[in-house]
Amino acid sequence: MQNELLTAEGVKETELSATAAGISEHDLMERAGKGVVEVILEKFSSSSVLIFCGLGKNGGDGKIVARLLQEKGWPVEVVSLSNLPAFEEIETLLSQADLIVDALFGTGLSRPLEEDVLKLISIINAASKPVVSIDIPTGIETNSGACSAEWIHATYTVTFFRARTGHYLLPGREYRGELFVKDLGLPNHLLPPITNYLNSPSLWNDSLNDPQPHDHKYDRSPCLIVATGCMPGAIRLASLAARRAGAGLVRVMCKREEYALFATTAWGEIITPVTSAEDFLKWTEDTHFRAVLWGTGTYPHDSTREQAITILLTKKPCVLDGGALSSFEGKTSELTSHLHENVILTPHEGEFLRLFPHLAFLKNKTEKALKAAAEAGAIIVLKGYDTVIASPQGDLVINANAPTTLATAGTGDVLAGLMASLLAQGLPPFQAAAAAVWMHGEMANHKGLGLIAEDLLGEIPSVLQMLSKMRGVNR
């Protein structure tokens, strides 16, 4: 499947399974080399090629690429780390080449690069020639996307079996260029169990449903949004997103003294003032409301934390966002003791570190999210350009369709409303989170440059219609 992702450990396991099935290492390398050449022939006319080969399998792939291109009459020069020329000579070779192939280090690299390799990478990048990297650009870590002191800036990357998590995580994602995945003809059963995925509708679209003839507003997934007057615009964005995404009714619950603030701008939401803790509990426990959103547009006070606990004790599906997360800074164990499997937490990096400071040492975003999800027993949506969704069971989704235009105030409020709506519609929390994040990115792509958070709301119907058509085709 195109959205399955492998770690370095998964790649090694696949290679061992292939060998046990009677496919030799040489045969795998031959197939890999042919896959790389296919991409080179697709993207380039006959060119002078300079191939840098390491000492391991990646270097072996590079030598096969050299042979296959030479058989087609392409001029090819190979430079091996085992007999590295002087850097002046390398610079001369680079000036004469039209195309560079990076076959220095692949998936298996787990140690820091040596100084001569770092210098070589710097010279390669300075040549400003197109680069095809085999497996993953040298200097980019396979699992985390982390970059070493120097790393290859690839034009194209050709990898095998399945894409790697590091191909889609920052900062490495910015430097792998266009990605090609060659399956090498291996049957799927040789791959290890897959727990990492690239976010796509194939993971969750079948769980969405179109409105039915006998539906009324209480059938169509009503949800409850708890508001404060700190940032009323955030509540407006979240509540409109929830309604647009399919919630037949959205009730916004606020303090009595803030009723006018919300009621004067409400169009289709029901604004409900509460006057006591008993009133608050009554509405949060009301069985009409199938999901709750709390924390959007809220400051992290003690009362914020207390209300979060009240909501969690109902065991309803809920999204904890913004101030509700930061209100547990220094009190992580208090939060995790109340969390349950129907909760989605939506931290950005700063909020994540307030909740899980003991995980700050981890540089791998997927590892951080997975450890936090396991500790919390809830879904973690670690937001960013490369948003990661992690479950306590070890499932992980990396999102890659979000444009940079989403880095503007209020877009996270829209995302929180989408999640609450999908939870209310009955999607399991992991799927609700993944679907909302993908839809959020797609809505932004539809709008393009100049995006502000309010623009996302008008794009929800077209994204829902597209997903509905996809379900129709697949059924």
Side-chain angles (χ1 to χ4, degrees):
M1 292 176 64
Q2 290 185 343
N3 63 336
E4 293 179 337
L5 300 175
L6 286 176
T7 61
E9 296 76 18
V11 173
K12 183 176 182 180
E13 191 174 337
T14 302
E15 291 173 341
L16 291 173
S17 296
T19 302
I23 303 171
S24 69
E25 183 177 290
H26 180 269
D27 192 15
L28 281 178
M29 291 169 63
E30 191 73 24
R31 297 183 193 183
K34 288 178 180 178
V36 175
V37 169
E38 287 172 3
V39 173
I40 291 174
L41 294 178
E42 176 186 338
K43 295 296 181 179
F44 300 93
S45 56
S46 183
S47 306
S48 175
V49 184
L50 180 59
I51 302 180
F52 291 91
C53 292
L55 306 180
K57 296 176 185 176
N58 203 251
D61 295 340
K63 290 172 183 175
I64 290 170
V65 170
R67 189 195 79 230
L68 294 174
L69 288 176
Q70 287 170 334
E71 289 174 358
K72 294 183 179 297
W74 288 40
V76 177
E77 187 83 34
V78 174
V79 173
S80 177
L81 277 185
S82 63
N83 188 25
L84 197 64
F87 288 121
E88 292 83 359
E89 183 178 344
I90 292 173
E91 288 175 339
T92 300
L93 292 171
L94 284 166
S95 69
Q96 297 168 348
D98 301 311
L99 170 64
I100 300 163
V101 174
D102 161 31
L104 290 168
F105 294 96
T107 291
L109 181 65
S110 58
R111 56 181 173 79
L113 296 174
E114 296 175 356
E115 285 300 320
D116 58 342
V117 177
L118 295 174
K119 178 70 179 295
L120 176 60
I121 292 171
S122 177
I123 292 172
I124 292 171
N125 288 335
S128 298
K129 300 291 177 73
V131 177
V132 175
S133 284
I134 299 178
D135 203 20
I136 195 164
T138 294
I140 297 177
E141 205 273 325
T142 301
N143 290 350
S144 68
C147 294
S148 63
E150 296 282 350
W151 62 93
I152 292 289
H153 301 183
T155 314
Y156 303 100
T157 293
V158 185
T159 196
F160 315 108
F161 312 130
R162 298 292 187 270
R164 318 294 191 244
T165 53
H167 288 140
Y168 288 100
L169 293 169
L170 293 179
R173 174 174 155 190
E174 296 182 272
Y175 300 101
R176 47 87 166 163
E178 186 177 353
L179 180 65
F180 294 84
V181 181
K182 300 291 182 178
D183 66 14
L184 306 191
L186 295 187
N188 288 339
H189 73 265
L190 294 182
L191 272 73
I194 302 294
T195 57
N196 299 332
Y197 294 88
L198 182 66
N199 200 4
S200 79
S202 64
L203 299 176
W204 40 260
N205 196 20
D206 285 346
S207 298
L208 297 175
N209 291 299
D210 295 328
Q212 299 301 309
H214 299 292
D215 285 350
H216 56 75
K217 62 187 177 186
Y218 282 108
D219 286 331
R220 289 197 61 204
S221 312
C223 67
L224 179 67
I225 296 178
V226 184
T228 71
C230 303
M231 288 176 263
I235 298 300
R236 186 83 178 124
L237 289 167
S239 61
L240 286 171
R243 290 171 57 210
R244 283 283 191 191
L249 185 150
V250 172
R251 185 179 294 272
V252 174
M253 186 168 63
C254 65
K255 297 176 183 177
R256 181 176 60 183
E257 60 269 27
E258 295 171 346
Y259 174 77
L261 179 65
F262 293 103
T264 52
T265 59
W267 297 337
E269 301 94 334
I270 299 173
I271 309 301
T272 301
V274 296
T275 58
S276 65
E278 292 76 15
D279 217 10
F280 182 90
L281 182 60
K282 179 191 78 173
W283 284 111
T284 54
E285 289 183 333
D286 191 314
T287 56
H288 285 107
F289 302 101
R290 300 173 187 170
V292 183
L293 169 61
W294 173 227
T296 299
T298 301
Y299 291 134
H301 298 305
D302 288 344
S303 59
T304 307
R305 184 173 64 257
E306 291 162 4
Q307 286 173 300
I309 292 171
T310 298
I311 293 167
L312 291 170
L313 287 172
T314 69
K315 300 300 181 182
K316 275 188 179 181
C318 70
V319 178
L320 292 186
D321 186 47
L325 300 175
S326 293
S327 70
F328 285 95
E329 183 174 8
K331 298 179 182 294
T332 303
S333 60
E334 185 177 2
L335 172 63
T336 56
S337 68
H338 289 95
L339 290 173
H340 53 85
E341 61 183 5
N342 289 320
V343 178
I344 300 174
L345 306 179
T346 63
H348 53 57
E349 286 284 353
E351 291 163 339
F352 184 91
L353 291 178
R354 291 180 204 124
L355 285 178
F356 303 102
H358 52 289
L359 300 179
F361 72 97
L362 295 172
K363 304 305 180 186
N364 185 335
K365 188 171 186 176
T366 62
E367 188 178 1
K368 284 197 295 188
L370 285 167
K371 284 186 179 298
E375 180 179 328
I379 304 302
I380 298 289
V381 178
L382 184 49
K383 296 188 292 191
Y385 183 62
D386 53 349
T387 293
V388 168
I389 302 106
S391 80
Q393 293 75 34
D395 296 310
L396 183 126
V397 165
I398 300 173
N399 196 71
N401 76 330
T404 54
T405 52
L406 279 171
T408 187
T411 57
D413 307 322
V414 174
L415 177 60
L418 291 173
M419 287 185 194
S421 183
L422 296 177
L423 270 184
Q425 291 172 55
L427 269 72
F430 187 69
Q431 291 177 300
V437 168
W438 187 92
M439 291 166 62
H440 193 240
E442 195 66 14
M443 287 147 48
N445 286 320
H446 282 204
K447 189 63 182 178
L449 292 174
L451 172 78
I452 58 175
E454 293 89 328
D455 296 330
L456 295 172
L457 302 169
E459 301 299 331
I460 295 174
S462 62
V463 172
L464 291 175
Q465 288 161 19
M466 177 187 67
L467 291 169
S468 179
K469 288 179 181 178
M470 291 170 63
R471 290 195 296 276
V473 167
N474 292 333
R475 286 173 181 165

